[in-house]
Amino acid sequence: MSAGAGEGRRRSRRSGGHGANTRGAGGAVRQLPWEIPRNSDAPTEPLTPEQVQAVHGGAMRVLEEIGIEFLNDEARGVLAAAGCQVQPGASNVRMDRGLVMEKVALVPSSFTITPRNPERRIVIGDGHMVFGNVSSPPNCADLDRGRRPGTRDSFQDLMKLTQHFNCIHFSGGYPVEPVDLHASVRHLDCLYDKLTLTDKVSHAYSLGPERVEDAMEMVRIAAGLSHEEFESTPRMYTNINSSSPLKHDWPMLDGAMRLARRGQPVIVTPFTLAGAMAPVTLAGAVTQSVAEALAAIVLLQCVRPGVPCAMGSFTSNVDMRTGSPAFGTPEYIRATQMSGQMARFYGLPLRASNACAANTPDSQSAWESAFSLWAAVSSGVNMVYHAAGWLEGGLCASYEKFVMDCETLQQIIVYMKPVPASADDIAVDAIAEVGPDGHFFGCQHTQARYENAFYQPFLSDWSNFESWQERGAIETPQRANRIWKQVLADFQAPPLDEAVSEELAAFVERRKREGGAPTDF
Amino acid sequence: MSAGAGEGRRRSRRSGGHGANTRGAGGAVRQLPWEIPRNSDAPTEPLTPEQVQAVHGGAMRVLEEIGIEFLNDEARGVLAAAGCQVQPGASNVRMDRGLVMEKVALVPSSFTITPRNPERRIVIGDGHMVFGNVSSPPNCADLDRGRRPGTRDSFQDLMKLTQHFNCIHFSGGYPVEPVDLHASVRHLDCLYDKLTLTDKVSHAYSLGPERVEDAMEMVRIAAGLSHEEFESTPRMYTNINSSSPLKHDWPMLDGAMRLARRGQPVIVTPFTLAGAMAPVTLAGAVTQSVAEALAAIVLLQCVRPGVPCAMGSFTSNVDMRTGSPAFGTPEYIRATQMSGQMARFYGLPLRASNACAANTPDSQSAWESAFSLWAAVSSGVNMVYHAAGWLEGGLCASYEKFVMDCETLQQIIVYMKPVPASADDIAVDAIAEVGPDGHFFGCQHTQARYENAFYQPFLSDWSNFESWQERGAIETPQRANRIWKQVLADFQAPPLDEAVSEELAAFVERRKREGGAPTDF
């Protein structure tokens, strides 16, 4: 888990720390210092041990009797060689539980990912929980400009927010799809922006060999690594979604295998909306999700035994009258908890999301997101995708929601810290000293602790009504609006060696000249 | 736990059921049927067993070595007779842990409260969780009329919402203080309204003998009970707050003893804001809270052994810069969980709240309330006060927040239901039937279940952005505004025998003639 001696090699002009803790240090927003939180709560377990076995048995029957479609010849070849049942000319692959459990046992229960700034290394698993920005919405919105398709400008804005907030530990997919960049070269500009505007863990979309290879190369260049150093430990990751029910598509498998071969982690996240792409029952939807995730993980363990993988949970329900997906619902919480039980059963790290269905950063968005975060904490989730900025079931990245979510993420981080309960904390002496007629503010026990006793929010307004009204009765989204503007106005990109920056730019230039990635349009 | 043969005696003109489930039955709002939910989750326990013992030890030291002020001669007399150390002329009472544990052991671990409609009986304890309306704010607010002091009109409005929503199981204190009613007779009009506009469990403020006795008498009359029947089982309750630190005031003790003597339950809720009225450390604040609660419970068990009591948790933190109380914070959640551990240690039911500090029903109010509800669920709370309508740290009852809270309470109720995970739920056959190219909506497994598969919200909007925009881009508080208006427009009071109604009115009239309750102003 050491950062590797070679990593600092080309950082001679780095100007030092990255200002992780801006509390009181001139930053736009008082915030918590960078840290990788650890969740000490026992997970909530709606399934009995027998039911866990039954879900496992169901998933094994899916893999053994029904099979999964692998729409990728190379993947099927790998699986056939490993002993799976593959029929020539057909995409269906069946695998028996012995093989599945043998391969799944190879997955490390936790792993690190080290970005270009090794101080931003994250841990996936081992009780830790890390948060990433919203990924992949086609639209963005803010209170001033309304809702609009994403552009490079808004992409950069959201990457700056991603970098600024210490509670965002990694960068997921594009926080908004910049449709003003042609799809053939979009990944080059986006990766360049991600790697220069942030120094946090980055991600590659598994959307074609060129994009995947370019992303790995750019992450390598940005970190000043040799190819060997790049492959020596996880530096980035990809997330693949099955095409539920029961299908893994070509580009996702291709990208996952490319990363796996170079020792880079793959998160496998079936998108199993109960009643649509999965059974209407939560137990059925989770069973199918588990089967789909394990199938891809088996493939990746065949490609490179021991490569880091995580299981993703994206099981939720739909509105059965309209088909609209729902998030942060009672069903979503339970499905995530059940997925957590299954992930622990297989010894796999778990990914989930901070999702909501609301169309605007109002109270519905807040309770749906709070329930999604509750799901994450109570399920022992290790990696929370879409942790800040998500609206509309993922179709919109909201600037204000991003800030609101960072407020609640900070609260979750504080929540997860152990509660001290020593004799000194139990404070009988202070209770005796203050007595029935006193007040605790003045006593020594309080004075010694008050500055750091409690979490101080940067967005919540705890003032009384009169004072709140005097200051203009500003509601939460409007306060968030002010904050993101301040963050963007104050933004300074993290240090990057000029030679590295030039090498990255030259790579982008060359690959653009070569045409980037092929597109269908 | 039977309703008692005499209870129907004077209900000959009751027009039947109370329309508990208005789903699709012409009610203003599709809602869940009346039910007393049960929380099957294992509680989250931040304290180790040794730390539970240490907090207990601290609370016992407070009771043994520091003592609690009982500002009530009668209470001190009772405690002295039971063996507590009481000095003549001083209000301090010390009690040793042997006595405390002996008395606390008399408290039933669960009990019922049966209001005038026995179908609205609630259970406190035994894994159940019940919700009550916001209590005691001086102000109310809605989007049309803004924030204003409470009046009888708004009091009645909020009682109608309390009655309408099946997720509100009991009526707490006044949902807003009607300041247009003179304090001497306010309780008479309020109780009359409560007992005629709702048929749910009611509460008496422990604010002077007259108010307490009048409340008990009116509850008895409304239920058509003899005095013996009234006392045969819990019919109502009171909640008392200690005057932290370490003090129980005269009227609270007087009211609590009056109810206890007649077998009516008392909730004892210290109001221990860490850093203000209690130690700045959560462990210290919980220790003090436990000591204060146990002290009153010991008194009540001396007054009437076995009388139902519950411990209340109201430990939260303050903003150390301004002194403003905060709710729904990480500290609030942890303090509630620790209180839950202590309540289970003593075998006592636990009360907490759905609290927030926000000044308006915006996103902050929603995440703070969601975190408070998370606290309740993860702490094994049995009784959630202020579950709907609370804003501003309790200084304002919001009509819209009431509706928003009922939406999230319904979701919590659904969340608490066990998740089915039989072989049929695991649904391997349905997965096989649908296969990789199908969709689950059409399959028999879905068709047989879809109508009741998932919770359907009445307030959340899950439509896509375009459809939401076409319908006017209505944000959640505005949708809630429409709903409460519809509920009030459609409201029908629950059936009440006319003779009972007349008897109640005559009682109010007589007591008003007598001057009601003495006031200080």
Side-chain angles (χ1 to χ4, degrees):
Chain A
M1 315 236 291
S2 142
E7 291 193 337
R9 191 162 47 96
R10 286 164 68 171
R11 281 207 203 81
S12 51
R13 272 174 284 175
R14 274 184 61 106
S15 61
H18 46 71
N21 183 0
T22 60
R23 186 194 287 263
V29 172
R30 180 189 60 236
Q31 62 171 322
L32 297 179
W34 167 271
E35 69 178 302
I36 305 296
R38 194 182 196 120
N39 181 359
S40 59
D41 285 359
T44 299
E45 307 212 308
L47 298 174
T48 64
E50 296 71 29
Q51 288 173 326
V52 169
Q53 285 290 346
V55 170
H56 166 61
M60 294 301 112
R61 282 187 58 205
V62 171
L63 294 172
E64 289 175 335
E65 300 169 21
I66 304 172
I68 302 288
E69 309 286 299
F70 282 81
L71 304 181
N72 184 300
D73 289 344
E74 185 185 357
R76 287 200 304 280
V78 169
L79 291 166
C84 297
Q85 298 167 52
V86 182
Q87 304 302 322
S91 52
N92 183 274
V93 177
R94 299 183 191 195
M95 46 186 83
D96 72 61
R97 66 186 72 199
L99 177 74
V100 172
M101 295 305 278
E102 176 196 319
K103 296 298 180 190
V104 168
L106 299 172
V107 181
S109 62
S110 76
F111 55 91
T112 62
I113 311 181
T114 308
R116 70 172 174 93
N117 178 354
E119 293 175 39
R120 300 294 199 185
R121 182 168 51 200
I122 62 175
V123 186
I124 310 293
D126 192 26
H128 291 288
M129 178 181 280
V130 290
F131 301 120
N133 58 284
V134 60
S135 300
S136 311
N139 305 292
C140 64
D142 63 66
L143 293 184
D144 304 305
R145 292 166 290 185
R147 183 180 187 263
R148 57 199 190 275
T151 59
R152 189 172 185 177
D153 270 358
S154 46
F155 175 93
Q156 290 176 338
D157 285 347
L158 292 159
M159 288 316 305
K160 291 173 184 172
L161 298 181
T162 298
Q163 174 66 11
H164 173 80
F165 283 103
N166 292 322
C167 60
I168 305 298
H169 301 103
F170 66 92
S171 160
Y174 306 161
V176 70
E177 195 72 33
V179 294
D180 56 344
L181 299 175
H182 191 273
S184 61
V185 297
R186 185 181 300 161
H187 68 287
L188 296 165
D189 288 331
C190 285
L191 260 291
Y192 180 82
D193 288 348
K194 285 177 84 159
L195 292 168
T196 53
L197 293 176
T198 90
D199 59 4
K200 298 182 180 178
V201 164
S202 192
H203 147 282
Y205 279 111
S206 284
L207 291 174
E210 296 81 3
R211 291 189 183 85
V212 171
E213 295 295 342
D214 286 346
M216 287 196 285
E217 185 61 5
M218 290 178 72
V219 167
R220 185 190 69 77
I221 293 170
L225 302 172
S226 69
H227 288 279
E228 293 67 34
E229 286 166 348
F230 177 81
E231 294 185 16
S232 67
T233 189
R235 307 290 184 180
M236 59 185 301
Y237 73 98
T238 190
N239 178 84
I240 66 170
N241 301 109
S242 51
S243 184
S244 303
L246 306 179
K247 232 187 322 279
H248 285 290
D249 285 338
W250 188 87
M252 292 284 179
L253 292 171
D254 178 74
M257 290 190 291
R258 284 177 191 276
L259 264 80
R261 271 188 222 105
R262 300 189 69 186
Q264 304 304 309
V266 179
I267 321 298
V268 185
T269 310
F271 185 34
T272 39
L273 288 178
M277 305 89 106
V280 73
T281 46
L282 296 183
V286 169
T287 298
Q288 182 185 309
S289 178
V290 164
E292 293 176 4
L294 294 182
I297 289 171
V298 166
L299 167 69
L300 299 169
Q301 295 305 314
C302 293
V303 167
R304 174 154 167 165
V307 69
C309 290
M311 178 184 277
S313 170
F314 214 102
T315 300
S316 194
N317 55 304
V318 295
D319 182 333
M320 293 306 284
R321 296 162 304 173
T322 64
S324 297
F327 298 101
T329 59
E331 292 81 10
Y332 175 89
I333 305 176
R334 286 301 190 196
T336 309
Q337 291 170 345
M338 293 160 71
S339 299
Q341 292 188 264
M342 300 314 300
R344 289 188 293 281
F345 178 80
Y346 297 113
L348 297 170
L350 180 67
R351 172 228 140 152
S353 305
N354 180 11
C356 67
N359 288 301
T360 187
D362 69 352
S363 32
Q364 179 188 328
S365 81
W367 79 61
E368 289 178 337
S369 274
F371 286 175
S372 290
L373 290 175
W374 176 6
V377 174
S378 66
S379 304
V381 165
N382 303 110
M383 188 179 199
V384 181
Y385 241 65
H386 310 297
W390 157 303
L391 274 187
E392 295 183 31
L395 294 177
C396 188
S398 157
Y399 287 51
E400 286 81 19
K401 180 71 161 31
F402 199 111
V403 174
M404 284 165 44
D405 285 332
C406 287
E407 176 60 67
T408 54
L409 294 179
Q410 289 208 153
Q411 298 198 26
I412 296 293
I413 290 171
V414 171
Y415 167 80
M416 290 193 287
K417 292 182 190 297
V419 181
S422 68
D424 206 34
D425 298 305
I426 290 171
V428 175
D429 293 345
I431 295 171
E433 177 193 333
V434 172
D437 300 312
H439 190 286
F440 284 82
F441 190 75
C443 79
Q444 177 57 27
H445 186 263
T446 303
Q447 288 298 314
R449 290 166 180 79
Y450 81 97
E451 279 199 74
N452 299 304
F454 308 128
Y455 171 68
Q456 288 183 29
F458 65 82
L459 179 62
S460 304
D461 190 322
W462 291 346
S463 59
N464 65 29
F465 183 83
E466 290 72 18
S467 152
W468 175 75
Q469 199 175 37
E470 266 168 33
R471 285 179 288 108
I474 313 294
E475 300 207 352
T476 306
Q478 283 74 22
R479 294 198 302 273
N481 179 274
R482 293 178 179 182
I483 288 174
W484 68 252
K485 284 177 183 161
Q486 190 65 45
V487 170
L488 295 186
D490 293 352
F491 184 77
Q492 290 190 306
L496 180 65
D497 188 285
E498 261 177 48
V500 170
S501 175
E502 284 159 19
E503 189 179 346
L504 264 185
F507 179 84
V508 168
E509 199 49 46
R510 173 170 70 78
R511 290 287 299 121
K512 282 188 177 178
R513 278 198 312 274
E514 292 169 1
T519 59
D520 294 336
F521 34 85
Chain B
M1 313 233 296
S2 141
E7 292 195 334
R9 190 160 50 95
R10 286 163 69 171
R11 281 206 202 82
S12 50
R13 275 173 281 178
R14 273 183 63 105
S15 61
H18 46 70
N21 183 2
T22 60
R23 186 194 289 262
V29 172
R30 181 189 60 239
Q31 63 170 323
L32 297 180
W34 168 271
E35 68 178 304
I36 305 296
R38 193 181 195 120
N39 180 1
S40 57
D41 286 359
T44 300
E45 308 210 308
L47 297 175
T48 64
E50 295 72 29
Q51 288 173 326
V52 169
Q53 285 290 347
V55 170
H56 165 62
M60 293 302 111
R61 281 189 58 205
V62 171
L63 294 172
E64 289 175 335
E65 301 169 21
I66 305 172
I68 302 287
E69 309 287 299
F70 281 81
L71 304 180
N72 184 301
D73 289 343
E74 186 183 358
R76 286 199 306 279
V78 168
L79 290 167
C84 297
Q85 299 168 53
V86 182
Q87 305 301 323
S91 51
N92 184 274
V93 177
R94 301 182 191 196
M95 43 186 84
D96 73 59
R97 65 187 72 200
L99 177 74
V100 172
M101 295 305 278
E102 175 197 320
K103 295 299 179 190
V104 168
L106 299 172
V107 181
S109 61
S110 76
F111 55 90
T112 62
I113 311 180
T114 308
R116 70 172 173 91
N117 177 354
E119 293 174 39
R120 301 292 200 186
R121 182 168 50 200
I122 63 175
V123 186
I124 310 293
D126 193 26
H128 291 287
M129 179 182 279
V130 290
F131 302 120
N133 59 280
V134 60
S135 301
S136 311
N139 304 293
C140 64
D142 63 66
L143 294 184
D144 304 305
R145 291 166 290 186
R147 183 179 187 265
R148 56 198 189 277
T151 59
R152 188 173 187 177
D153 270 357
S154 46
F155 175 94
Q156 290 176 337
D157 286 347
L158 291 160
M159 287 317 304
K160 290 174 184 174
L161 297 181
T162 298
Q163 174 66 11
H164 172 79
F165 284 102
N166 292 323
C167 60
I168 304 300
H169 300 102
F170 67 91
S171 161
Y174 306 160
V176 70
E177 196 71 34
V179 294
D180 56 344
L181 299 175
H182 191 271
S184 61
V185 297
R186 185 180 299 162
H187 69 288
L188 296 166
D189 289 330
C190 285
L191 261 290
Y192 180 83
D193 289 348
K194 285 178 84 159
L195 292 168
T196 53
L197 294 175
T198 90
D199 60 2
K200 298 182 179 179
V201 164
S202 194
H203 146 281
Y205 280 110
S206 283
L207 292 174
E210 296 81 2
R211 291 188 183 86
V212 171
E213 295 294 342
D214 286 346
M216 288 195 283
E217 185 61 3
M218 289 178 73
V219 167
R220 185 191 69 76
I221 293 169
L225 301 171
S226 69
H227 289 276
E228 293 68 30
E229 287 165 347
F230 177 82
E231 295 185 14
S232 67
T233 189
R235 308 290 185 181
M236 60 183 303
Y237 73 98
T238 190
N239 179 83
I240 65 169
N241 302 109
S242 52
S243 185
S244 304
L246 306 178
K247 227 185 327 268
H248 285 289
D249 284 339
W250 187 88
M252 293 284 179
L253 292 170
D254 177 76
M257 289 189 290
R258 285 177 191 276
L259 263 79
R261 271 187 221 105
R262 301 190 67 189
Q264 304 304 310
V266 180
I267 322 297
V268 185
T269 310
F271 185 34
T272 38
L273 288 178
M277 304 89 107
V280 72
T281 47
L282 296 183
V286 169
T287 298
Q288 183 184 310
S289 178
V290 164
E292 292 175 4
L294 294 181
I297 289 171
V298 166
L299 167 70
L300 298 169
Q301 296 304 315
C302 294
V303 167
R304 176 155 164 164
V307 68
C309 291
M311 177 184 278
S313 170
F314 214 102
T315 301
S316 194
N317 56 303
V318 295
D319 181 333
M320 293 305 285
R321 295 162 304 175
T322 64
S324 296
F327 298 101
T329 59
E331 292 82 8
Y332 176 88
I333 305 176
R334 287 301 190 197
T336 310
Q337 291 169 346
M338 292 159 71
S339 299
Q341 291 187 266
M342 299 315 299
R344 288 188 294 281
F345 177 81
Y346 297 112
L348 296 170
L350 180 67
R351 172 228 140 152
S353 305
N354 179 12
C356 66
N359 288 301
T360 187
D362 69 352
S363 31
Q364 179 187 329
S365 81
W367 80 59
E368 288 177 338
S369 274
F371 286 174
S372 290
L373 290 175
W374 176 7
V377 173
S378 66
S379 305
V381 166
N382 303 110
M383 188 178 200
V384 181
Y385 241 64
H386 311 297
W390 157 302
L391 274 186
E392 295 182 28
L395 294 177
C396 188
S398 157
Y399 287 51
E400 287 81 19
K401 180 70 162 30
F402 199 111
V403 174
M404 285 167 43
D405 285 333
C406 287
E407 175 60 68
T408 53
L409 295 179
Q410 290 209 152
Q411 298 198 25
I412 296 293
I413 290 171
V414 171
Y415 166 81
M416 290 194 286
K417 292 181 189 296
V419 181
S422 68
D424 207 33
D425 298 306
I426 290 171
V428 176
D429 294 345
I431 294 171
E433 177 193 333
V434 172
D437 300 313
H439 190 285
F440 283 83
F441 191 74
C443 78
Q444 177 56 30
H445 186 264
T446 303
Q447 289 298 313
R449 291 167 179 78
Y450 81 95
E451 281 198 73
N452 299 306
F454 308 128
Y455 171 68
Q456 289 182 29
F458 66 83
L459 178 61
S460 304
D461 189 323
W462 292 346
S463 59
N464 64 30
F465 183 82
E466 290 74 17
S467 153
W468 175 74
Q469 200 175 37
E470 266 167 32
R471 285 179 289 108
I474 314 294
E475 299 206 354
T476 305
Q478 284 74 23
R479 294 198 302 274
N481 179 273
R482 293 178 180 182
I483 288 174
W484 68 252
K485 285 177 184 163
Q486 190 64 47
V487 169
L488 294 186
D490 293 352
F491 184 77
Q492 290 190 306
L496 180 65
D497 188 284
E498 262 177 46
V500 170
S501 175
E502 285 160 17
E503 190 178 345
L504 264 184
F507 179 85
V508 168
E509 199 49 46
R510 173 171 69 79
R511 289 288 298 122
K512 282 187 176 179
R513 276 199 313 273
E514 293 169 2
T519 59
D520 293 336
F521 35 87

